[in-house]
Amino acid sequence: MSYHKILTIQDISCVGQCSLTVALPILSACGMETCILPSAVLSTHTGGFKGFTFRDLTDDIPLIQKHWISEGIKFDAIYTGYLGSTRQIDMVKDIMSTLSSKTCKKIVDPAMADNGKLYVGFDQPYVEAMKTLCGIADVVLPNITEACFITNTEYKESYDEKYVDLLLKKLTELGAKSVILTGVSYKPETTGVIVYEAGKKSYYEHRKISKGCHGTGDIYASAFVGAVMNEKSYYDAAKIAADYTVKCIENTITDPNHWYGAKFETALSDLITSLK
Ligand code: PXL
């Protein structure tokens, strides 16, 4: 297994199996040294709990960055997810330019929307700022909804390959070098992921489980980053992450009380095996 130092920047939702509480264990299981920069601390995620707390950590970020610079710390990958404010996006761009190793992979999951809608708390200025972060990324990992927001494209429930090609074209025009587009479904019984790299498009199609789970975008992105940092190709990493995410959902949907996240811990051993 390769060993690399990764920085992941996203929130801590104390309860809810998403963002850092998912990324840290998954990247560690993939054999990576995982450093974290929390963008905010919430009592729970925003997708279904009522009255959650939200502590914005934007003002701490430049201080943490300054300390890391003074210590000469550099990262082999910087992977961002849910950010706590629009102002934070410029800070994250600055972190990418000051704390990257020579070969650092910049991976941006524009975690901000699903099913045609922005998550609670996000607005158009956040979307505009996120476009600029996607523009400097080596890899972006949007779902179809996020791709639509980032490219000013009308969201459609059903679509054809031409629509997906337009999203991919617009995403790369922003500056993103490669795109992993998730939740691409042309048929009711299957879904899949498009890997768009150096103008070449591939599709990994897999079983669609009718009931989705909250936080699976974060599970997917974390497993993808872990696999890429284990020297897997983008296509192989996209496939490994998809198979792992499906397993996590399968291990969750039998439990009706577990509505707020996916039991990603139960399939970590499968993920580790798939990296060998
Ligand atoms: O899984 C994405 C996510 C991350 N963090 C917070 C969220 C969500 C989705 O709703 O609310 C706080």
Side-chain angles (χ1 to χ4, degrees), residues 113-118 142-160 163-164 166-167 170 181-185 191 208:
D114 207 359
N115 302 314
K117 286 196 292 256
L118 285 174
N143 59 35
I144 293 271
T145 303
E146 288 156 349
C148 287
F149 275 105
I150 292 165
T151 60
N152 299 327
T153 309
E154 187 197 349
Y155 173 76
K156 289 186 183 165
E157 292 270 333
S158 58
Y159 43 79
D160 55 14
Y163 176 77
V164 169
L166 179 68
L167 290 177
K170 287 181 170 181
L181 185 61
T182 60
V184 180
S185 172
T191 187
K208 176 153 60 178

Side-chain angles (χ1 to χ4, degrees), residues 11 13 18-19 42 44-47 82 111 119 214-215 218:
D11 71 282
S13 286
C18 68
S19 38
L42 295 86
T44 64
H45 63 60
T46 65
Y82 182 108
Y119 296 144
H214 196 92
D218 301 339

Side-chain angles (χ1 to χ4, degrees), residues 89-233:
I89 293 179
D90 275 339
M91 296 177 181
V92 167
K93 281 168 30 191
D94 199 51
I95 284 175
M96 286 182 169
S97 74
T98 54
L99 294 171
S100 291
S101 71
K102 279 202 187 73
T103 56
C104 179
K105 278 221 180 310
K106 302 179 188 89
I107 302 169
V108 173
D109 175 2
M112 61 181 178
D114 207 359
N115 302 314
K117 286 196 292 256
L118 285 174
Y119 296 144
V120 173
F122 289 132
D123 55 13
Q124 197 54 35
Y126 184 88
V127 174
E128 294 305 320
M130 185 51 81
K131 289 180 189 176
T132 69
L133 182 59
C134 290
I136 63 161
D138 292 308
V139 189
V140 289
L141 286 130
N143 59 35
I144 293 271
T145 303
E146 288 156 349
C148 287
F149 275 105
I150 292 165
T151 60
N152 299 327
T153 309
E154 187 197 349
Y155 173 76
K156 289 186 183 165
E157 292 270 333
S158 58
Y159 43 79
D160 55 14
E161 236 184 297
K162 239 173 86 190
Y163 176 77
V164 169
D165 287 347
L166 179 68
L167 290 177
L168 295 172
K169 181 169 170 283
K170 287 181 170 181
L171 285 163
T172 42
E173 276 168 5
L174 278 178
K177 291 192 190 69
S178 300
V179 179
I180 311 297
L181 185 61
T182 60
V184 180
S185 172
Y186 299 118
K187 300 181 219 150
E189 65 283 4
T190 63
T191 187
V193 51
I194 300 269
V195 178
Y196 190 65
E197 202 185 347
K200 189 175 160 281
K201 186 177 68 166
S202 4
Y203 183 46
Y204 179 59
E205 191 178 20
H206 57 84
R207 189 161 94 76
K208 176 153 60 178
I209 303 170
S210 56
K211 196 175 159 297
C213 282
H214 196 92
T216 47
D218 301 339
I219 293 171
Y220 184 87
S222 304
F224 174 83
V225 174
V228 166
M229 296 314 286
N230 271 287
E231 327 298 342
K232 300 291 178 196
S233 68

